[in-house]
Amino acid sequence: MATDQPDKITKKRSKFHPLFWLVITFEFFERGSYYGMMSVLSVYMTEHLHFAKTDVGLIKSTIQPLLYFLPIISGALADRFGYRRTLMIAFSLLGTGYFLTSQATGYAAVFLSLVVMAVGAGTFKPVISGSIARCTDETNATLGFGIFYWTINLGAFLFPLFLVPFLKNNIGWRWVIIAAAIGTGSMLLPTFLFFREPPKPPETEEEKKKPKSTLLQTLANAFEIIYSPVVLLNSLMRRSGIGAVVIGSALVGILAWGAYDYAQPGWDKHTLSARRIKLGNTQLNVKVQRDLSRVKPYSLQWKTKPGEILLTLYDPNRFPKYADKLLSELRTLHGPGAIRIGQLKDVLKISELHRLYQLHGLQSLTAKQLEKVQADAVGMMTLVVVVDRSQSAPFELKRQSKHQFVLTLNHQDVARTHKLALRAALDGQPELTTLNQSKLNELVGKGRNKSFFMLFVGLLLLGAFVVIRIAPRFKATETLGSKLGLMLLVMGPLLALLWLLPNLSYFARILCTAIAITLLSLYEINTEDVSKFRDHARFLLMIFLYAGFWVLYFQMFDSVLWYVKAYVDASSLNNFVNGIGAWFGADLKWRFDIEHVTVINAATIITLQLYISHLVKNTKALPTMIVGICMGTVGMAILALSTGIWVFMLGIVIFSVGEMTAHPKFIAYVGQTAPKSRVAMYMGYLFLYGVIGASIGGVLGAKLYVEFVDQRNEPRTLWLIFTCIGVATVVGLLLYNRFFGKKTLVESEDSTASDPSDPSDPSDPSDPSDNK
């Protein structure tokens, strides 16, 4: 190292290629547009489009993994067909996807539009990082990628802080998404006019002799690591009769479980409360009239009719914070002791108001006591939703008893395809008028998601084993017709099942078909080198364990936003900020809102990343990575302490510090422990943490939020569950290091010479600087 130092001192930093600054501009607008939309998207879909939270979770668990997964394929295609052409396609897809999302109101249309956007974003990512790598050299690469990293966080900071609140509060929520369409679509013009292919590094003689990969070979390279567990299991089946029996039995069990689960009708129930109650000679009437512009979330007044009080809820989600004040006003109007908290809760039986019990020390209320309170309430009604595929009519609404209706649907999508007719049927029953479309979608969604997942997993595994078994015969076949026949032998029955199974949405069929087609890559994989696939499987296990932390991260765009909207009281922060403005003579009227969650994360990274990187640059990768995940877990646990804004901000800041500590060291750990012959390949697969984390995080976060917050009003339990996931991630990584760390490369003493923990290190082809 001493001999290298004079060279580092005397070398003069090169000037940046003009293309570098154009690419930085592209990155700023693309990331600003993406995080601007993502900062409000979940709440926009639930509150304005009235989608169920579980349905929103399904959308997020599709588009985010797609965004992380596509770069490995789109990067290879960009190298083959050119960066400029790929970039034009990316911006076209981005602008079109954002614009269609802003105009769509139906679930399927929004889903498809966001998929178009995600394909564009996944196509865009490798072109930008690749362009910067080609436009820099060893003298300016660190600074260049550092600017690139700051640009990402600057976009994620400025757009949600200024543009998003201005648009949604003054023009409309969908204009946030329209602005994203303009921000990305407008980049087509400078791409067409000014972008030129960045200079390519000179090819070695070996690379020149190497034939270009076919599309099938490119796919095979992309999926070799992913299918490594199947290759190892197949090898075990060949070597051991007991192994074959165990694995075969497990596969049959998965298929049987999936088929049984798919055949079950989905159902759920929703309890609707009385909307009125007698208080002596006075009757309290309640109505919900959403008006989020009002400072106070309710009004209380005497009606013209004697002996009647009208309570209007303008924002039911904020109402629990005002419970004590409302009780005081009611007692002022009608005399002390005239109304009890239990009576008020019977009247206002919307899900958020379970918190009234917690506010008044009645957490010990048992389920049977609660059931009795519900049964005794005037007009209490339970709606049971059943999905029965054998029914001929699209839906049927029947009164089962005095306090129960049963709604039977013959298909999971009836709630959308027959939305108006179903709404009219519900409104025809006075007791059911309070059931809004969002809650109905939530109930039906539980039946819809009951689930095809395990059946599909079983079919995919079965197809993979069959392909691996017949792959040698495929390679030995010389005629194209024979090869196509062998492909159809596996793909034909599998794709036929996907399209002939009843009651699957078209999107589910298309998505599952796209995943099933990846089996074609197994025809090109050489499965003889078992040791290689052991390395792959260990690497995949480590990625999966680390993805547990990213399950927590992706809550920042779903469950955290819903929680902020419903529970976090930001009045003290608003008063503090507006007080500072008043001290300088400015009337700010500033309000903390959901888009500022992203701002807190980005601002923390912009402020502290250089300091944190310097602090940990000489520390070992895995211990530092675990410390960072521990900090992120503590940040998530802090959210369980209080709904106050300052506690919430503290939790997000600590989580962000943990993120910026763990992620660069994760890159370092992979680089240090990967087999020398496959370092570049493994570094290219780091995106898998995002695929797994987003896939699990979106669905799991939505389901847990509905279960513990919407239904039980226990947000503390939600954050404690995610805390446990963080703890499990730490324990899993410690065990991984204990059992597999010895089999990988030992960290070298001079590994910090080119510090991989620096997020601006150009050696990372997976773009680690974009740690969002």
Side-chain angles (χ1 to χ4, degrees):
M1 290 180 65
T3 57
D4 293 340
Q5 193 64 24
D7 291 339
K8 292 183 179 180
I9 295 174
T10 56
K11 276 188 179 180
K12 185 178 180 181
R13 179 171 62 83
S14 304
K15 290 183 179 181
F16 287 118
H17 192 285
L19 191 64
F20 171 85
W21 298 111
L22 180 62
V23 168
I24 287 295
T25 304
F26 289 163
E27 182 70 15
F28 174 77
F29 280 98
E30 193 276 332
R31 290 289 86 184
S33 299
Y34 177 78
Y35 287 112
M37 181 191 74
M38 293 298 285
S39 69
V40 298
L41 182 63
S42 292
V43 174
Y44 170 72
M45 288 193 290
T46 53
E47 294 203 356
H48 294 268
L49 300 182
H50 306 296
F51 296 164
K53 291 185 176 71
T54 50
D55 289 342
V56 173
L58 180 62
I59 291 177
K60 290 297 194 69
S61 290
T62 301
I63 63 170
Q64 289 172 330
L66 189 62
L67 188 152
Y68 278 88
F69 181 77
L70 278 176
I72 194 167
I73 298 175
S74 60
L77 294 176
D79 282 333
R80 186 171 180 182
F81 296 109
Y83 281 20
R84 186 171 183 267
R85 187 181 303 174
T86 306
L87 202 56
M88 294 284 287
I89 294 172
F91 281 132
S92 299
L93 291 172
L94 281 165
T96 302
Y98 282 124
F99 181 76
L100 291 177
T101 302
S102 71
Q103 302 303 306
T105 55
Y107 182 78
V110 172
F111 206 151
L112 183 59
S113 301
L114 287 171
V115 167
V116 173
M117 179 279 298
V119 172
T123 305
F124 172 85
K125 283 174 69 67
V127 175
I128 297 304
S129 55
S131 296
I132 292 178
R134 289 188 183 183
C135 291
T136 55
D137 56 35
E138 59 180 2
T139 66
N140 61 6
T142 297
L143 178 60
F145 274 85
I147 295 171
F148 175 52
Y149 172 73
W150 275 68
T151 302
I152 292 166
N153 287 283
L154 190 64
F157 175 76
L158 293 178
F159 278 61
L161 182 61
F162 297 109
L163 185 61
V164 171
F166 172 79
L167 291 174
K168 77 180 185 67
N169 294 329
N170 295 282
I171 305 178
W173 284 64
R174 67 175 51 191
W175 277 92
V176 174
I177 310 176
I178 292 174
I182 296 171
T184 52
S186 62
M187 294 297 104
L188 276 169
L189 185 61
T191 302
F192 179 76
L193 295 177
F194 305 117
F195 188 88
R196 297 294 179 265
E197 288 296 316
K200 287 185 178 182
E203 289 185 336
T204 63
E205 291 298 322
E206 185 178 346
E207 289 173 334
K208 290 178 181 177
K209 295 176 182 178
K210 203 173 184 181
K212 284 190 175 181
S213 298
T214 65
L215 183 59
L216 187 59
Q217 288 168 337
T218 303
L219 286 172
N221 292 335
F223 295 106
E224 180 175 300
I225 289 179
I226 296 172
Y227 283 112
S228 59
V230 180
V231 175
L232 290 178
L233 290 175
N234 179 68
S235 176
L236 178 61
M237 291 175 69
R238 285 181 171 179
R239 295 197 318 266
S240 169
I242 296 177
V245 171
V246 171
I247 295 169
S249 300
L251 183 58
V252 171
I254 292 173
L255 284 167
W257 177 13
Y260 174 79
D261 200 28
Y262 177 74
Q264 300 305 304
W267 66 275
D268 204 350
K269 61 183 178 180
H270 175 56
T271 303
L272 300 132
S273 73
R275 309 306 291 174
R276 62 185 63 195
I277 195 167
K278 282 282 188 180
L279 307 174
N281 295 322
T282 303
Q283 181 169 280
L284 175 66
N285 287 348
V286 183
K287 73 174 183 177
V288 178
Q289 177 185 322
R290 295 194 69 83
D291 186 354
L292 302 182
S293 64
R294 293 178 180 260
V295 176
K296 194 174 179 181
Y298 70 88
S299 67
L300 189 64
Q301 61 192 50
W302 293 100
K303 288 196 73 175
T304 54
K305 185 178 178 180
E308 197 169 58
I309 303 174
L310 174 63
L311 170 62
T312 305
L313 299 180
Y314 298 113
D315 188 355
N317 290 334
R318 292 171 55 210
F319 179 77
K321 303 167 190 174
Y322 291 82
D324 291 320
K325 189 174 181 182
L326 172 61
L327 282 174
S328 175
E329 292 185 32
L330 279 172
R331 288 166 178 162
T332 301
L333 287 171
H334 197 64
I339 184 169
R340 301 189 309 277
I341 186 66
Q343 290 176 303
L344 178 62
K345 189 232 170 231
D346 289 341
V347 180
L348 308 176
K349 183 68 173 62
I350 55 179
S351 62
E352 291 84 354
L353 296 182
H354 280 286
R355 280 192 74 210
L356 289 173
Y357 281 100
Q358 297 175 341
L359 289 171
H360 291 269
L362 299 180
Q363 297 95 324
S364 60
L365 187 74
T366 65
K368 288 187 176 180
Q369 288 172 323
L370 178 59
E371 188 177 336
K372 186 177 185 304
V373 170
Q374 292 172 343
D376 291 342
V378 178
M380 182 68 67
M381 187 59 59
T382 299
L383 174 68
V384 177
V385 179
V386 179
V387 179
D388 183 0
R389 300 181 178 97
S390 63
Q391 180 176 281
S392 57
F395 67 88
E396 185 179 30
L397 182 64
K398 284 185 178 180
R399 182 186 285 272
Q400 191 78 2
S401 64
K402 181 180 179 182
H403 296 296
Q404 188 179 80
F405 278 94
V406 175
L407 173 62
T408 306
L409 312 175
N410 75 344
H411 193 276
Q412 296 93 326
D413 289 332
V414 166
R416 296 192 183 92
T417 57
H418 293 73
K419 181 176 178 180
L420 295 179
L422 183 55
R423 184 73 260 167
L426 292 171
D427 291 343
Q429 303 294 335
E431 300 95 332
L432 301 180
T433 55
T434 56
L435 180 69
N436 61 30
Q437 188 66 30
S438 177
K439 186 61 185 177
L440 179 62
N441 289 344
E442 200 81 69
L443 299 176
V444 177
K446 292 190 175 182
R448 178 174 56 256
N449 296 327
K450 183 131 182 106
S451 103
F452 174 63
F453 177 75
M454 289 306 300
L455 180 59
F456 178 66
V457 168
L459 291 172
L460 196 66
L461 288 174
L462 179 62
F465 281 118
V466 173
V467 171
I468 290 175
R469 288 300 179 94
I470 67 174
R473 186 174 301 176
F474 172 86
K475 292 172 184 175
T477 302
E478 296 182 359
T479 62
L480 179 61
S482 299
K483 290 190 174 186
L484 290 175
L486 285 171
M487 285 186 183
L488 289 174
L489 182 64
V490 177
M491 300 306 299
L494 180 56
L495 296 180
L497 272 173
L498 293 176
W499 286 89
L500 294 177
L501 280 172
N503 300 316
L504 284 181
S505 67
Y506 282 110
F507 179 79
R509 289 187 173 103
I510 293 170
L511 180 64
C512 292
T513 299
I515 296 173
I517 288 174
T518 63
L519 291 175
L520 293 175
S521 64
L522 292 171
Y523 283 107
E524 292 289 331
I525 291 176
N526 181 7
T527 60
E528 298 303 319
D529 187 359
V530 177
S531 63
K532 176 181 71 171
F533 286 96
R534 287 198 189 102
D535 291 337
H536 289 348
R538 283 197 294 267
F539 172 67
L540 196 62
L541 174 61
M542 192 266 293
I543 290 283
F544 183 81
L545 292 172
Y546 179 63
F549 176 71
W550 288 83
V551 170
L552 308 188
Y553 173 80
F554 283 107
Q555 302 314 306
M556 300 296 167
F557 302 101
D558 297 306
S559 57
V560 169
L561 301 186
W562 294 323
Y563 171 72
V564 168
K565 192 71 177 176
Y567 285 92
V568 175
D569 182 5
S571 55
S572 59
L573 176 63
N574 297 340
N575 294 336
F576 175 75
V577 173
N578 292 327
I580 293 177
W583 192 74
F584 285 101
D587 185 15
L588 296 179
K589 295 181 180 179
W590 183 85
R591 284 183 58 202
F592 180 85
D593 213 334
I594 52 172
E595 61 268 17
H596 296 126
V597 175
T598 300
V599 171
I600 297 172
N601 179 262
T604 305
I605 293 175
I606 289 173
T607 305
L608 298 177
Q609 180 66 70
L610 294 179
Y611 173 74
I612 296 294
S613 294
H614 177 75
L615 192 66
V616 302
K617 68 179 182 180
N618 294 321
T619 60
K620 290 187 176 181
L622 182 61
T624 308
M625 178 177 153
I626 291 175
V627 168
I629 295 175
C630 287
M631 293 181 67
T633 302
V634 169
M636 192 63 69
I638 287 174
L639 300 184
L641 299 179
S642 169
T643 59
I645 184 62
W646 299 107
V647 173
F648 174 80
M649 290 177 63
L650 176 64
I652 299 299
V653 168
I654 292 178
F655 183 91
S656 301
V657 173
E659 174 199 341
M660 71 179 78
T661 303
H663 190 60
K665 284 297 183 180
F666 164 68
I667 309 296
Y669 188 71
V670 173
Q672 293 163 0
T673 59
K676 285 184 178 180
S677 60
R678 290 187 279 274
V679 170
M681 180 183 186
Y682 280 29
M683 296 297 282
Y685 275 84
L686 293 176
F687 70 92
L688 281 175
Y689 74 85
V691 175
I692 299 170
S695 299
I696 298 174
V699 171
L700 182 65
K703 286 184 177 294
L704 291 177
Y705 192 94
V706 170
E707 176 69 23
F708 291 101
V709 182
D710 282 349
Q711 295 184 1
R712 302 187 189 182
N713 283 278
E714 298 174 2
R716 180 177 300 176
T717 304
L718 174 72
W719 304 129
L720 290 178
I721 290 173
F722 283 121
T723 301
C724 291
I725 293 175
V727 172
T729 300
V730 171
V731 173
L733 287 171
L734 288 171
L735 291 174
Y736 175 89
N737 187 58
R738 170 70 177 79
F739 290 104
F740 298 114
K742 305 278 186 191
K743 300 177 182 179
T744 54
L745 295 180
V746 180
E747 291 177 318
S748 59
E749 292 180 357
D750 61 349
S751 62
T752 56
S754 176
D755 181 21
S757 68
D758 184 353
S760 62
D761 191 342
S763 64
D764 177 20
S766 68
D767 186 12
S769 58
D770 185 359
N771 58 7
K772 295 184 182 304

